[in-house]
Amino acid sequence: HPDSQISKKGMSVMNSFAVDLIGKICNETQTLVSRVKRNTVFVHDVESACRLVLPAELSKFAALEGWLSFIISLIIMNFR
């Protein structure tokens, strides 16, 4: 919403939340990859980590948005 604003403290809280969540997803991804003794992280590894870290409905939405972003980036790269 264009008329909505957030305070510096509110933005700081949101930033801390995002950094913490990304850290948890990265740690879970690292655990999944090391269990199968690989050095490469694939898309499905990150998707699986998201499904393990996030609650059910949020993980489904995150996976869908992640795939849409991935597909859009491929389309954009093909037009360059």
Side-chain angles (χ1 to χ4, degrees):
H1 301 293
D3 296 331
S4 299
Q5 295 182 354
I6 187 168
S7 67
K8 287 182 182 182
K9 188 173 183 178
M11 185 57 79
S12 176
V13 169
M14 290 301 294
N15 184 54
S16 295
F17 174 75
V19 168
D20 182 55
L21 187 59
I22 290 170
K24 287 180 181 182
I25 292 170
C26 288
N27 287 338
E28 191 62 41
T29 303
Q30 181 182 12
T31 302
L32 291 171
V33 170
S34 65
R35 282 185 185 169
V36 293
K37 295 180 174 57
R38 277 191 286 135
N39 293 326
T40 307
V41 175
F42 294 109
V43 174
H44 61 82
D45 297 323
V46 179
E47 182 181 353
S48 297
C50 286
R51 289 184 186 267
L52 291 169
V53 171
L54 299 173
E57 194 64 33
L58 188 57
S59 69
K60 290 177 188 176
F61 181 73
L64 176 64
E65 288 295 315
W67 276 109
L68 288 175
S69 297
F70 178 68
I71 291 168
I72 290 170
S73 68
L74 288 178
I75 292 169
I76 290 172
M77 288 173 60
N78 286 334
F79 283 115
R80 287 187 179 178

